[in-house]
């Protein structure tokens, strides 16, 4: 029975970001068929940030109307919306309409907004819901969240998304000159089939959520209600007639929203600061430059870094089941290590298309290892912070989701002008680039 609940929780976790992650890995096959071309990734970045209106609204509702907004109804709504959007994408993603005299992918962009709204809102609803279940299931949820990136990546890898051939440049005499240009090939199955797969994943997540709410076995796996008497803060709140999980959560009194009362305001700020920083790195800053950091070392290095880094996320969460550690000092040191790895990755992206050690296997090995360790280490940090906040009450988990989205948004918005407007980074040609040594 425990295995069944773990499986259902894992499936619920996969529904958190599977749609947006799937869109990202499918871009090489979508771009040739839409009028936006390679502007589509930039459009997707902006759409995701606009979709943060969802978690913002829910966080404000929890702040000003505590206890009025239940996660269960919202989760049902967003999972149904995600499933419907995926099915509509499968049917209409190539449809265009004329806007301002030019064809635009209005159906695609509109549906992408709804998918982003689903995934962004999951950050502030799924985690608070997990507090209804026993603590051991939270790690399983994070494993599922990691699989939400791995499974679409593996499907896209099997599809052949991003596979290309090097077309040689022909001179006037008919002889090939230069290293050639990469021409992306069609996938083994269609984009429509891929979106149908995403819809199937959303359907599985929705089914798992229904079972978690109605199976008798799942009801027995729910957490026992704890008395509101832990710590002086809880007692103070009770004296004012306010439940501990419903007390105001401004930064000045944020530590008061923690049930145990074991963390000072500065420690709370430290925890949320780490959470914001690691999510800015993993969800906003580094994904924007992954191709720049990896493609100069070849297409194999790029695909290995993307696939193995996605695998590192659930593996780090699985490791956290057996080696949990809530030390704030250790989390700080691990965050520093992840930041140093991010600095190396960023440096290689800045040096693209001619990064260090590009002419031998050592450079490719280093960039792949750095990506895997970077994602693995910071995934462990996020898991440990999630475990800490899970024990601190509903309000702490709502703030957890909000800070995750805030950090991701700040990171993405900071990188957008550098990548798309000022063109600070230059793409490496996987078919070969001439660099002056």
């Amino acid at each position: 029975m425990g295995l069944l609940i773990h499986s259902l929780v894992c499936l619920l976790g996969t529904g958190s970001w599977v749609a947006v992650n799937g869109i990202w890995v499918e871009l090489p096959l979508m771009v040739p068929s839409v009028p936006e071309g390679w502007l589509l990734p930039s459009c997707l970045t902006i759409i995701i940030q606009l979709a943060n209106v969802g978690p913002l609204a829910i966080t404000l509702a929890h702040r000003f109307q505590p206890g009025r907004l239940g996660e269960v109804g919202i989760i049902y709504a967003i999972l149904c919306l995600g499933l419907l959007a995926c099915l509509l994408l499968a049917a209409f993603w190539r449809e265009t309409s004329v806007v301002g005299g030019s064809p635009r992918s209005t159906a695609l962009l509109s549906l992408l907004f709804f998918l982003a709204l689903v995934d962004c809102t999951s950050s502030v609803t799924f985690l608070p819901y997990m507090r209804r279940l026993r603590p051991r299931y939270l790690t399983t949820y994070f494993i599922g969240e990691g699989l939400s990136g791995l499974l679409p990546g593996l499907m896209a890898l099997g599809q052949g998304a991003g596979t290309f051939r090097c077309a040689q440049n022909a001179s006037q005499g008919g002889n090939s000159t230069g290293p050639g240009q990469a021409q992306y090939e069609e996938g083994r199955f269609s984009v429509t089939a891929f979106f149908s797969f995403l819809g199937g994943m959303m359907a599985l997540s929705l089914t798992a959520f229904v079972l978690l709410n109605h199976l008798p076995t799942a009801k027995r796996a729910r957490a026992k209600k704890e008395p509101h008497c832990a710590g002086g803060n809880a007692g103070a709140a009770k004296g004012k007639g306010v439940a501990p999980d419903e007390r105001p959560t401004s930064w000045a009194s944020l530590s008061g929203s923690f049930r145990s009362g074991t963390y000072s305001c500065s420690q709370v700020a430290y925890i949320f600061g780490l959470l914001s920083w690691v999510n800015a790195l993993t969800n906003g800053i580094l994904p924007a430059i992954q191709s720049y950091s990896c493609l100069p070392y070849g297409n194999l290095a790029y695909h290995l870094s993307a696939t193995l880094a996605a695998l590192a996320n659930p593996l780090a969460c699985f490791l956290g089941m057996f080696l949990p550690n809530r030390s704030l000092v250790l989390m700080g040191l691990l965050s520093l290590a992840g930041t140093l790895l991010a600095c190396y990755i960023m440096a290689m992206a800045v040096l693209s298309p001619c990064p260090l050690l590009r002419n031998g296997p050592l450079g490719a090995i280093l960039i792949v290892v750095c990506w895997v360790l970077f994602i693995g280490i910071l995934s462990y940090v996020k898991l440990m912070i999630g475990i800490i906040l899970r024990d601190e009450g509903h309000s702490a988990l709502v703030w957890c989701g909000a800070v995750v989205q805030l950090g991701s948004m700040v990171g993405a918005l900071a990188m957008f002008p550098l990548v798309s407007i000022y063109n600070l980074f230059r793409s490496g040609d996987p078919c070969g680039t001439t660099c002056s040594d």
Side-chain angles (χ1 to χ4, degrees), residues 96-108:
T96 61
S97 58
V98 178
V99 178
S102 301
R104 293 288 184 265
S105 303
T106 49
L108 173 64

Side-chain angles (χ1 to χ4, degrees), residues 157-230:
L157 196 62
Q159 183 188 20
T163 303
F164 62 90
R165 61 184 179 88
C166 295
Q168 296 294 326
N169 297 320
S171 64
Q172 293 182 353
N175 297 322
S176 61
T177 60
Q181 294 181 340
Q183 294 184 352
Y184 289 92
E185 300 179 348
E186 294 184 2
R188 296 182 180 90
F189 52 88
S190 66
V191 175
T192 296
F194 184 85
F195 285 145
S196 299
F197 161 76
L198 295 182
M201 293 296 300
M202 294 299 299
L204 284 175
S205 184
L206 176 60
T207 303
F209 187 64
V210 171
L211 294 176
L212 283 173
N213 283 296
H214 296 287
L215 275 183
T217 302
K219 292 180 180 179
R220 290 195 293 270
R222 292 180 182 174
K224 296 180 180 179
K225 292 187 179 296
E226 301 175 14
H228 299 315
C229 58

